């Protein structure tokens, strides 16, 4: 949290229907133990964000996320090794991720994929690890949560070559309307973070318009990507409420309607129990 500038944004008025933060990093937000996790999800719940999926980017984070999901019933986990961490992805590492992926409160394999923006892992290593995570998701029967940065075509190619899992999520979707349409046609689910609210995010908002609500999720990717007008300040799961309200405005639908629709999508994709309005 200290790495982000300024204070946390104010907690907004609660959404009229509870939503799921489909991708956050509670540990990177500053949570260390069960008390921290409970306090963080309490803040989220006060804004109508009643469940969160905390996501790993390395082995230590994967082990922490799986444990954190046992500390509070509102928390679920996704486990994988981030593509920028795959330069040395050993068999022992894979065994740890696979064991965690079988745990009942781990609801997705992720985040995995390709990142050609940062020069931390060779593309070949990233692609090999991505293929392994695809296979793992299929073997454990859980969604594949994809990190895609400057790698649209290779992501699509590898998914086609390996065969997509039944459920595929593009976390923090970063494509345009044409790419979104291609994803929708393949049945992929697209998750939008605070980036869609940024002033220069015209292509993202165009993409949003072509996505059916049953293929749409909302996320924070906290502590990063805090929605406008709080960009650059520390993000937390409760800020998904700001993004959800913005998504509804961009789509021209009532906030309550979109909240109910994306919650139904999250429940289906992550196999979560259904909730009803407050």
């Amino acid at each position: 949290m200290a790495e982000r500038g300024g204070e946390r944004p104010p907690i907004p008025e609660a959404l009229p229907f509870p939503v799921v933060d489909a991708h956050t990093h509670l540990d990177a937000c500053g949570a260390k133990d069960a008390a921290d996790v409970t306090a963080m999800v309490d803040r989220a719940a006060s804004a109508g964000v009643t469940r969160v999926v905390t996501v790993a980017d390395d082995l230590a984070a994967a082990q922490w996320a799986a444990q954190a999901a046992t500390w509070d019933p509102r928390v679920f986990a996704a486990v994988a090794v981030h593509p920028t961490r795959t330069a040395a992805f050993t068999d022992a590492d894979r065994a740890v991720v696979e064991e965690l992926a079988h745990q009942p409160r781990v609801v997705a394999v992720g985040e995995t994929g390709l990142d050609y923006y940062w020069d931390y892992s060779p593309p070949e290593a990233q692609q090999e690890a991505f293929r392994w995570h695809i296979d793992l998701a299929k073997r454990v029967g859980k969604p594949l949560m994809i990190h895609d940065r400057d790698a649209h075509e290779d992501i699509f190619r590898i998914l086609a070559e390996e065969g997509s899992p039944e459920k595929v999520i593009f976390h923090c979707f970063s494509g345009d309307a044409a790419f979104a349409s291609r994803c929708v046609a393949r049945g992929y689910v697209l998750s939008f973070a605070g980036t869609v609210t940024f002033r220069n995010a015209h292509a993202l908002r165009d993409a949003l318009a072509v996505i059916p609500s049953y293929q749409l999720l909302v996320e924070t990717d906290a502590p990063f990507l805090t929605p406008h007008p709080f960009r650059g300040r520390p993000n937390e799961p409760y800020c998904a409420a700001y993004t959800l309200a913005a998504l509804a405005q961009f789509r021209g639908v009532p906030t309550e309607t979109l909240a109910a629709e994306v919650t139904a999508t999250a429940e289906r994709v992550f196999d979560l129990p259904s909730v009803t309005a407050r």
Side-chain angles (χ1 to χ4, degrees):
M1 183 71 74
E3 295 180 359
R4 313 301 294 166
E7 297 182 357
R8 289 192 300 262
I11 298 175
E13 181 180 351
L15 293 167
F17 193 95
V19 300
V20 178
D21 180 355
H23 187 114
T24 191
H25 302 271
L26 296 183
D27 53 343
C29 288
K32 295 181 175 60
D33 54 26
D36 292 338
V37 166
T38 295
M40 208 166 284
V41 293
D42 280 348
R43 286 194 290 273
S46 70
V49 183
T50 59
R51 290 172 290 182
V52 306
V53 180
T54 190
V55 181
D57 60 3
D58 60 20
L59 285 184
Q63 292 167 319
W64 187 90
Q67 185 177 28
T70 69
W71 291 338
D72 192 294
R74 300 167 293 181
V75 177
F76 302 87
V79 299
V81 171
H82 192 280
T84 59
R85 310 292 182 92
T86 55
F89 186 39
T90 68
D91 288 344
D93 297 337
R94 298 178 190 204
V96 172
V97 174
E98 180 153 356
E99 187 277 327
L100 294 171
H102 280 90
Q103 295 188 14
R105 295 197 60 82
V106 172
V107 296
V109 173
E111 59 187 289
T112 181
L114 303 175
D115 189 316
Y116 294 164
Y117 180 82
W118 298 108
D119 187 22
Y120 294 141
S121 298
E124 297 79 9
Q126 293 188 44
Q127 292 179 20
E128 181 183 359
F130 184 35
R131 292 179 190 274
W132 181 85
H133 284 98
I134 292 170
D135 179 66
L136 176 63
K138 291 191 286 190
R139 286 189 284 111
V140 300
K142 295 180 180 180
L144 182 75
M145 184 179 284
I146 291 178
H147 172 101
D148 168 19
R149 190 161 190 189
D150 295 348
H152 296 338
E153 296 308 319
D154 277 356
I155 292 277
F156 251 47
R157 174 179 59 82
I158 292 171
L159 285 170
E161 290 171 355
E162 296 297 319
S164 299
E166 179 183 354
K167 299 172 183 175
V168 172
I169 305 161
F170 274 72
H171 125 75
C172 191
F173 182 74
S174 59
D176 58 13
F179 187 64
S181 294
R182 293 169 64 193
C183 291
V184 167
R186 289 194 179 189
Y188 301 155
V189 174
L190 309 182
S191 184
F192 280 75
T195 45
V196 73
T197 71
F198 295 173
R199 290 194 177 104
N200 61 349
H202 306 295
L204 274 183
R205 292 191 280 276
D206 289 343
L208 178 66
V210 306
I211 303 166
S213 60
Y214 57 82
Q215 288 175 261
L216 178 65
L217 293 172
V218 65
E219 65 169 84
T220 57
D221 199 19
F224 315 105
L225 308 181
T226 312
H228 177 79
F230 308 107
R231 185 175 182 179
R233 290 167 65 175
N235 201 1
E236 267 198 18
Y238 69 81
C239 291
Y242 287 115
T243 301
L244 188 282
L247 294 177
Q249 180 181 3
F250 298 147
R251 289 169 74 92
V253 299
T255 300
E256 181 172 7
T257 298
L258 188 62
E261 290 172 346
V262 299
T263 295
T265 301
E267 289 171 350
R268 185 188 78 250
V269 171
F270 295 120
D271 194 22
L272 306 180
S274 296
V275 299
T276 58
R278 276 180 268 273

